Amino acid sequence: MASGLQRVVDGLAVQLGRAVMLEDRLQHVLAYSQQMEPLDDIRRDSILRRETTPEVREWLRAAGIFEAEGPIRTPGAAGLGLLPRVCVPARHGGRLLGFLWFIDAGPPMSEEEIGVVAEVASAVGVALFHESLAVGLAAHRELDAVTSVLLGTPGAAEAGARSLIEAGGFPQSEPVTVAVARPLLDGQVDEPVREEMERALLAVRHRLGPRRTLHLVRYDHAVLLFSGAARPEQIHAAMEIPVVVGTGDPRSRLDQAAGSYLEAARAAEVAARMPALGPSAEWSGLGVYRLLTQLPPATLKLHPGLERLLADEAHRPLLETLEVYLDLAGSAHATSQRLRLHRTSLYYRLRRVEELAGTDLRDGGERLTLHLSLKLARLLGRYPPGRGGAT
């Protein structure tokens, strides 16, 4: 986390051509750029001592920095050796977490420059909020530990879990359940989307308590580890972008969370491809899709007769009839009722399926292959949900 904040500070200094200093809400120095003129005694002392003197803190508090919702200019004080400054508070969810400081002299900062800093301050607030949630454990160490738990070898997962538990970041005696949120967006997931996912997961963690959850944002999805049962509705409520949420089965120990993570990722993938399932999907409720998502994609081939039916949109009613018929274990009576279709019409459609697909629905092997192929076609987006069965 410290290295990330330092990069932000250095980047701002280069962009604006001004020296930058970042303090936490107690005005302890967290990061600072290369210093340049104008430079006063207070800035030098703050860097050397890693904090501001009580007299200067009192002066700046009186200037209103703790109440400010946005950038504020603070006056100089010759008696304190203090030049005028621009202070940009770093907040998250209305909570004050730190300050970005600029000496406002030679020449003063423009409103455009201040606007640039105000945009960056939001990301700084998120980073500082993450730091505050990592109870007893630096945020960068929490990130490394969670990554080890979810993506590392069994030995690395055990070590990562131990460091999190020993630091008080996660309870030892409760099961863990993993949820994965995947954005429903056209194109690639870019950095602003990942920042939104980070913000949302931090909000959920704040709501549920710092020792109840952990999180990780990856290149195209976000991961939340819950102590006990998952709360996907909390993720949906916090997200400002459309997402689907997959939930894995619980595991008894934190070092076993990788299994729940894999299940959650697959459940989210199924939910993203099959809107009929709704915005959330549980691994335990996916039925046959649990099997299909575990098979190597290159090995998955559809029934050749089904390929012919899928190639012509005019055959959609036949496909829907076939799927319902197979979902209902080949019961003509139940299928007629479900589709509100006369039995004679049902038999006609099933005969047409046999003719066009070159199959025999009296053959159990053929029925199984067709049934699995229909579900696979849905999973691959070849056969979007219609009137037929959704799962």
Side-chain angles (χ1 to χ4, degrees):
M1 182 62 67
S3 62
L5 291 173
Q6 185 63 56
R7 286 195 296 272
V8 170
V9 166
D10 289 338
L12 269 178
V14 170
Q15 183 176 359
L16 300 178
R18 292 180 177 273
V20 188
M21 189 167 72
L22 172 64
E23 295 179 332
D24 65 16
R25 60 187 179 85
L26 300 178
Q27 292 192 264
H28 297 146
V29 177
L30 298 176
Y32 56 89
S33 70
Q34 180 180 359
Q35 299 301 300
M36 58 195 77
E37 297 296 336
L39 184 65
D40 58 20
D41 293 338
I42 299 304
R43 176 61 61 85
R44 292 190 185 92
D45 290 345
S46 295
I47 291 173
L48 290 173
R49 299 174 180 173
R50 307 298 294 184
E51 64 179 3
T52 308
T53 64
E55 296 81 10
V56 172
R57 286 201 299 270
E58 188 60 33
W59 174 269
L60 296 172
R61 178 183 289 274
I65 63 171
F66 286 89
E67 295 76 30
E69 296 293 332
I72 182 174
R73 294 182 189 270
T74 63
L80 296 174
L82 182 72
L83 289 172
R85 278 163 165 70
V86 168
C87 172
V88 182
R91 293 180 176 272
H92 179 74
R95 178 181 174 186
L96 179 64
L97 295 160
F99 305 95
L100 285 160
W101 288 101
F102 300 83
I103 293 178
D104 193 29
M109 289 185 73
S110 68
E111 293 303 317
E112 182 179 357
E113 289 176 316
I114 294 174
V116 169
V117 180
E119 291 183 5
V120 173
S122 176
V124 172
V126 170
L128 293 174
F129 183 60
H130 187 184
E131 182 85 31
S132 72
L133 284 176
V135 180
L137 192 70
H140 73 279
R141 288 179 56 207
E142 180 191 271
L143 175 63
D144 290 343
V146 174
T147 302
S148 295
V149 167
L150 296 179
L151 302 171
T153 64
E158 185 176 351
R162 184 168 58 250
S163 67
L164 289 163
I165 292 169
E166 289 177 351
F170 204 80
Q172 181 176 10
S173 58
E174 295 187 24
V176 57
T177 308
V178 178
V180 167
R182 290 177 60 96
L184 291 175
L185 302 171
D186 294 330
Q188 293 184 336
V189 176
D190 56 15
E191 191 60 32
V193 173
R194 284 189 286 272
E195 289 179 1
E196 164 57 22
M197 291 193 295
E198 177 96 14
R199 181 207 63 77
L201 295 192
L202 288 171
V204 174
R205 293 185 65 182
H206 179 62
R207 189 175 301 119
L208 297 181
R211 293 179 176 86
R212 309 297 302 175
T213 51
L214 296 163
H215 83 282
L216 179 68
V217 175
R218 301 202 66 200
Y219 65 98
D220 66 348
H221 65 271
V223 189
L224 197 59
L225 292 78
F226 292 87
S227 173
R231 304 283 296 276
E233 72 280 0
Q234 295 276 359
I235 300 175
H236 285 294
M239 288 285 183
E240 294 184 358
I241 56 175
V243 297
V244 292
V245 179
T247 304
D249 289 342
R251 296 299 192 275
S252 60
R253 302 196 315 264
L254 181 58
D255 63 338
Q256 299 172 343
S260 184
Y261 170 45
L262 180 60
E263 294 166 354
R266 287 171 172 166
E269 181 180 359
V270 173
R273 294 183 178 185
M274 299 182 59
L277 289 177
S280 300
E282 296 182 0
W283 174 253
S284 60
L286 288 183
V288 69
Y289 294 110
R290 286 188 295 178
L291 170 64
L292 295 177
T293 58
Q294 295 180 76
L295 298 175
T299 68
L300 301 177
K301 303 294 183 182
L302 301 185
H303 185 289
L306 189 66
E307 289 276 14
R308 291 193 290 274
L309 290 172
L310 288 168
D312 190 340
E313 181 63 27
H315 297 326
R316 170 56 74 98
L318 298 179
L319 287 169
E320 293 174 346
T321 301
L322 175 62
E323 184 173 23
V324 174
Y325 176 72
L326 296 173
D327 283 347
L328 297 176
S331 170
H333 175 70
T335 304
S336 296
Q337 287 191 322
R338 172 75 64 84
L339 296 177
R340 298 181 180 180
L341 191 66
H342 192 276
R343 190 81 63 92
T344 302
S345 298
L346 171 63
Y347 288 139
Y348 170 76
R349 289 189 183 184
L350 294 177
R351 283 196 302 272
R352 287 291 292 156
V353 167
E354 290 180 317
E355 292 169 3
L356 294 169
T359 188
D360 183 354
L361 293 177
R362 294 171 299 179
D363 185 320
E366 281 290 284
R367 288 201 304 272
L368 177 60
T369 305
L370 286 165
H371 204 183
L372 288 174
S373 293
L374 279 166
K375 301 308 181 185
L376 179 58
R378 285 202 183 279
L379 189 60
L380 298 177
R382 303 265 317 270
Y383 176 37
R387 284 195 308 161
T391 59

